[in-house]
Amino acid sequence: MKQCSLNHFTESLEPWLNANYIRSITLGEDGRVIFSFIDGVSDVYEITDCNRSQVEQVCRELQEKGISVKGLE
């Protein structure tokens, strides 16, 4: 699991989005964000400087870009 700020999290997404590398995202009840990539690898992130609604907003924006997101309310 990687811990990071919301800003660092969103910046780290850019290369993956440009390469269509993300298969799906799951937002856990604990607020952790789990990425599943097309090569079968998974990464877990805990964003430490914001609340769940801010994380959900980022996930909604990713969903609008065509990425499957599970766990949004």
Side-chain angles (χ1 to χ4, degrees):
M1 179 180 63
K2 300 174 185 176
Q3 292 183 327
C4 61
S5 68
L6 184 62
N7 189 44
H8 182 262
F9 176 73
T10 55
E11 288 175 1
S12 68
L13 293 175
E14 287 304 315
W16 297 336
L17 294 174
N18 293 335
N20 294 320
Y21 188 55
I22 302 170
R23 174 176 288 150
S24 66
I25 298 170
T26 302
L27 180 57
E29 289 187 26
D30 57 3
R32 293 182 180 152
V33 182
I34 305 163
F35 284 87
S36 297
F37 299 101
I38 58 173
D39 64 358
V41 174
S42 293
D43 263 341
V44 179
Y45 285 86
E46 181 178 16
I47 304 165
T48 58
D49 68 340
C50 64
N51 60 38
R52 183 178 175 94
S53 65
Q54 291 170 300
V55 175
E56 286 178 358
Q57 181 58 39
V58 171
C59 289
R60 281 189 191 90
E61 291 169 7
L62 294 169
Q63 191 173 45
E64 290 171 2
K65 294 181 181 200
I67 299 170
S68 171
V69 179
K70 303 168 191 160
L72 286 175
E73 296 179 10

